[in-house]
Amino acid sequence: MTQVLLQQLNNADINWMITNGRQHHLTSGTVLIQQQSKLDFLYIVLEGTLSASIKRNQESALAGIFAALEDDTDLEQEISSYSSGEVLGEMSFLNFSPSPTTVKAVENSIVLALPSQILLAELQQDPAFASRFYRMLAILLLDRFDRLVKKFTHRQNLKIPPLQDVPLLFGELSDSDVDWIIEHSQVKYITPETVLIRAGRPVENLYVLLQGSVSISFSEDTGSSLARVFTLLEDSDQSGSSPGYEIAETSTGEILGETALIDARLPTYTFKALEDTKVLAIQKQQLLIKLQQNPAMGSRLYRVIAMLLSGRLQGLINRLGYGRSSYQVGQRLSQDVKYEDEIDLNVMDNIFLGGARFDWMLKRLKVSS
């Protein structure tokens, strides 16, 4: 992870963080982040190893069964470990939500604490720094998400709850960003069983799901032989069974394939239409060129990708917590559910704005929502 941070940031970025951050030396066993706490700092691990764990939901019957089986009334489960170069506390930083995990030092460690408000102000003033920083953060979150999916979803048969990406996406972007997307994309109509993105194959387009539903499957075997890849090409409609196992189903308002903007590796996820589906397709290469030319747009879009990955990671962690009901950005709210935290008003304003922009875009595209 150290390589990711050093490859994505430049010397000026690193110098700024050194000047404005403060090093904390943690002895083994020290708790850095408490589950369900809101944080005022973003942490970067400089040395040592830390672990993340979750405690069961005390009100969940399923959690009680697991506790009885484990003969542990507290039932704290370790879900991940972090070493040099990892970023911690990103959910509070990105989504203003409490930490879903407890993070503590496994050995004597050093972290750099960056005050969130000071960092946010600098990122707003320096779009180029913001573009590099949010891209770096998104790459780290994607790697963390992939590790959790591989470790837990198949073994525990977990499904990741859907997010409503579109209000978040269009709430963070500017009007000029949306204008560019409309001018450089096209509406496509997809038949059931059509594969939009296949694991182990290059991603050519990003999609906004305008209507219908899509299945997402995870595959650990993306190192397919060239012969197998060309065999798949024989399916001219790219239909067929999805490799791996299903981890989620998406519906109207989701974004598909956005991680291809931050990860040059072949995808490990397959996206397949479950019914007649309508998508907005944006060429990945064209969008990447635009983001290089326009750092301000890059900072906004990479921030959105980091927020989406953070939300999906939080949704998966909540599932591992045996049914913890905690609001996450992009999630539909239910009047029948009591949430452990409230929505930040700034996030709420952006979601409403994004929904209005999306409706406006549909009218310009002459697509009925």
Side-chain angles (χ1 to χ4, degrees):
M1 295 301 104
T2 300
Q3 284 187 334
V4 172
L5 191 145
L6 295 179
Q7 287 171 353
Q8 296 301 317
L9 302 179
N10 64 25
N11 288 329
D13 303 334
I14 295 171
N15 289 338
W16 184 92
M17 291 191 289
I18 292 172
T19 301
N20 292 274
R22 186 174 64 181
Q23 290 191 21
H24 290 277
H25 293 255
L26 309 175
T27 57
S28 178
T30 300
V31 173
L32 177 66
I33 299 172
Q34 193 70 49
Q35 185 173 337
Q36 292 305 308
S37 63
K38 289 190 177 182
L39 307 176
D40 296 322
F41 294 90
L42 188 71
Y43 299 100
I44 297 176
V45 182
L46 301 181
E47 289 184 15
T49 305
L50 295 92
S51 68
S53 60
I54 50 174
K55 289 187 177 180
R56 69 182 179 93
N57 182 356
Q58 299 290 340
E59 299 177 357
S60 168
L62 179 60
I65 294 173
F66 275 94
L69 291 173
E70 297 288 340
D71 193 24
D72 182 0
T73 57
D74 196 32
L75 195 61
E76 185 171 345
Q77 181 180 19
E78 181 177 325
I79 61 171
S80 189
S81 63
Y82 308 119
S83 56
S84 176
E86 286 277 9
V87 176
L88 308 174
E90 76 291 336
M91 290 185 184
S92 289
F93 178 76
L94 290 169
N95 301 329
F96 306 100
S97 58
S99 171
T101 63
T102 294
V103 179
K104 64 181 178 181
V106 176
E107 59 184 349
N108 292 342
S109 304
I110 304 174
V111 299
L112 182 71
L114 293 167
S116 296
Q117 292 304 315
I118 295 176
L119 178 57
L120 281 170
E122 181 65 19
L123 294 175
Q124 289 172 354
Q125 293 176 6
D126 188 344
F129 176 28
S131 182
R132 294 187 294 270
F133 181 86
Y134 286 124
R135 179 181 169 88
M136 175 272 295
L137 192 55
I139 292 171
L140 293 176
L141 288 172
L142 177 60
D143 181 79
R144 194 176 303 174
F145 180 78
D146 285 346
R147 293 201 308 263
L148 279 187
V149 167
K150 184 176 181 180
K151 184 175 181 179
F152 290 105
T153 53
H154 193 221
R155 189 179 72 189
Q156 299 188 10
N157 195 28
L158 294 175
K159 292 293 181 66
I160 302 168
L163 297 179
Q164 286 294 287
D165 297 351
V166 159
L168 178 61
L169 170 66
F170 289 93
E172 291 289 327
L173 297 181
S174 69
D175 288 340
S176 61
D177 298 336
V178 177
D179 282 337
W180 187 92
I181 289 173
I182 292 173
E183 292 173 5
H184 296 83
S185 61
Q186 63 180 114
V187 176
K188 291 187 176 182
Y189 298 85
I190 309 299
T191 56
E193 299 299 310
T194 299
V195 173
L196 291 164
I197 298 171
R198 188 185 293 277
R201 295 281 301 281
V203 177
E204 296 180 348
N205 297 296
L206 281 69
Y207 302 96
V208 177
L209 187 54
L210 303 178
Q211 198 173 77
S213 58
V214 171
S215 168
I216 304 176
S217 300
F218 175 76
S219 175
E220 298 181 31
D221 179 23
T222 56
S224 303
S225 67
L226 194 60
R228 184 171 183 273
V229 169
F230 276 86
T231 299
L232 292 173
L233 284 174
E234 294 174 2
D235 297 329
S236 59
D237 61 353
Q238 290 196 356
S239 62
S241 59
S242 298
Y245 48 90
E246 186 179 74
I247 62 169
E249 289 185 11
T250 67
S251 57
T252 301
E254 293 268 352
I255 303 166
L256 315 176
E258 77 285 349
T259 56
L261 293 174
I262 61 169
D263 189 359
R265 295 171 299 178
L266 295 175
T268 53
Y269 301 93
T270 292
F271 297 81
K272 182 176 71 173
L274 296 175
E275 56 184 325
D276 288 330
T277 298
K278 192 182 301 180
V279 298
L280 186 69
I282 310 163
Q283 285 190 353
K284 182 192 77 171
Q285 199 58 40
Q286 193 173 23
L287 182 54
L288 280 172
I289 293 172
K290 176 65 177 178
L291 298 182
Q292 289 176 347
Q293 295 172 342
N294 188 339
M297 182 177 176
S299 69
R300 291 186 288 269
L301 188 55
Y302 288 133
R303 174 177 165 83
V304 167
I305 294 174
M307 292 175 74
L308 293 177
L309 287 168
S310 176
R312 288 172 184 143
L313 188 61
Q314 183 179 356
L316 177 52
I317 291 173
N318 289 342
R319 284 288 193 267
L320 295 174
Y322 312 121
R324 181 176 300 280
S325 295
S326 162
Y327 174 73
Q328 62 195 75
V329 170
Q331 174 186 342
R332 283 194 180 98
L333 292 176
S334 171
Q335 294 180 346
D336 301 325
V337 176
K338 182 179 180 181
Y339 295 96
E340 294 183 352
D341 53 301
E342 298 179 356
I343 312 172
D344 185 270
L345 292 179
N346 292 325
V347 174
M348 179 68 82
D349 288 343
N350 272 6
I351 289 174
F352 282 135
L353 176 61
R357 277 204 185 112
F358 181 58
D359 290 339
W360 170 74
M361 185 189 75
L362 291 180
K363 290 177 182 177
R364 283 191 57 180
L365 293 170
K366 298 180 180 179
V367 175
S368 57
S369 57

